[in-house]
Amino acid sequence: MSEAHLPPTGEVKVVKPKKAAKLVERVARETEDPAVPTERLLIALDIDGTLILEDESLSPGVVDAVAHADRAGHEVMIATGRSWEATRGILRVLGLAPEYVVCSNGAVVLRREDADDLLYERWHVETFDPREVLADLRVHLPDARYLVELPNGDRLYTEYLDDWNLIEARRVAFEELGEQPVCRVVVVSPEQQEEDFVDLVSRIGLSQVSYSVGWTAWLDIAPQGVDKSTALELVRTELGIDPPHVLVIGDGRNDVGMMRWAVENGGRAVAMKQGPPEVHEAAGEITLSVHEGGVAAVLHRL
């Protein structure tokens, strides 16, 4: 078969991964033309399992990809289950200072005061009375570790856990956890499996709160009707961005609410490949895993 009709293939050169990443970013920068109008998107990114791996290292290419989306004129922000104290450092590593940040699974929305110093005020806070849910959980999980976040950002916990960022947090007796309204309750039981938590929640019923089970035995409880989607709707409205111009990316069950919200209003929701089936179903789009640079793959295509 003759190959005379084929175009020239050019030169192929194998380079190391770091150099390849730099080449991709250079191409992305060269294609960013400020003279070409860009429809501004509100891009909300989960942290754990989306931007970072289990060991807190960054997903490949994510810093350059976030910078690329920011230069293109999009509003890139964080929507996480983490407290602000555990989120601020991630923003610094990403080189990101969005106007708003959603923390504590939507119970806390922060607004930027100073981009250089990453100073934010608690702009919107939701609370609930945790006494009933704490008492119910204590009966079934007497050996679990408990943490609550107060409206001012203070955190109280019963026992130390490596996975928790406990800077400026205070250890207290279990009874003290329910003495005032809280934004969030976190329950971790290392002896439990993820399926055990899902079963426990269905058996005891948590009708007065919103909750999600993490990829480990981690139960996150928020005020009733509150999740990432309710906070993002406040942000979207404040920024004046139309619902179809929303893109959310996540991997966990606590991302299902914001994914359904985005899709039902004409926006996009993308799930990480390693997420559970119900997250894939809610999103409708699936990208590469966090280990493979799934977020970078999505953002560089914008």
Side-chain angles (χ1 to χ4, degrees), residues 137-147 158-164 185-198 200-201 203 212-221:
L137 288 169
R138 184 72 159 178
V139 171
H140 295 88
L141 298 169
D143 298 323
R145 293 163 172 81
Y146 294 83
L147 177 146
T158 56
E159 292 183 67
Y160 177 81
L161 192 69
D162 287 338
D163 289 346
W164 286 340
V185 173
V186 180
V187 186
V188 177
S189 181
E191 295 77 19
Q192 303 287 117
Q193 299 297 316
E194 180 183 353
E195 295 78 11
D196 297 332
F197 254 30
V198 173
L200 172 64
V201 168
R203 283 192 289 112
S212 62
V213 178
W215 56 273
T216 58
W218 180 301
L219 179 62
D220 219 314
I221 301 168

Side-chain angles (χ1 to χ4, degrees), residues 131-195:
R131 288 175 294 181
E132 182 177 345
V133 68
L134 283 170
D136 287 344
L137 288 169
R138 184 72 159 178
V139 171
H140 295 88
L141 298 169
D143 298 323
R145 293 163 172 81
Y146 294 83
L147 177 146
V148 299
E149 180 179 343
L150 304 181
N152 65 356
D154 289 347
R155 289 166 300 147
L156 311 177
Y157 68 97
T158 56
E159 292 183 67
Y160 177 81
L161 192 69
D162 287 338
D163 289 346
W164 286 340
N165 178 337
L166 295 175
I167 297 174
E168 298 185 7
R170 182 163 58 92
R171 186 173 183 178
V172 300
F174 177 84
E175 292 70 25
E176 192 174 336
L177 297 178
E179 290 183 352
Q180 55 189 306
V182 304
C183 302
R184 175 186 182 218
V185 173
V186 180
V187 186
V188 177
S189 181
E191 295 77 19
Q192 303 287 117
Q193 299 297 316
E194 180 183 353
E195 295 78 11

Side-chain angles (χ1 to χ4, degrees), residues 79 92 103 153 242 281:
R92 192 171 297 283
C103 290
D242 293 335
E281 183 179 352

Side-chain angles (χ1 to χ4, degrees), residues 60-126:
V62 73
V63 174
D64 289 339
V66 166
H68 164 71
D70 183 62
R71 285 194 303 270
H74 304 302
E75 179 66 21
V76 186
M77 63 174 292
I78 298 297
T80 179
R82 291 185 174 212
S83 66
W84 168 241
E85 288 72 15
T87 301
R88 189 168 183 262
I90 301 298
L91 289 176
R92 192 171 297 283
V93 170
L94 291 173
L96 190 63
E99 189 166 348
Y100 293 92
V101 178
V102 171
C103 290
S104 306
N105 281 324
V108 177
V109 183
L110 299 111
R111 182 167 59 185
R112 186 183 64 217
E113 291 187 320
D114 187 303
D116 293 336
D117 292 331
L118 282 181
L119 295 179
Y120 282 75
E121 64 169 335
R122 297 173 80 83
W123 176 68
H124 181 86
V125 177
E126 300 274 4

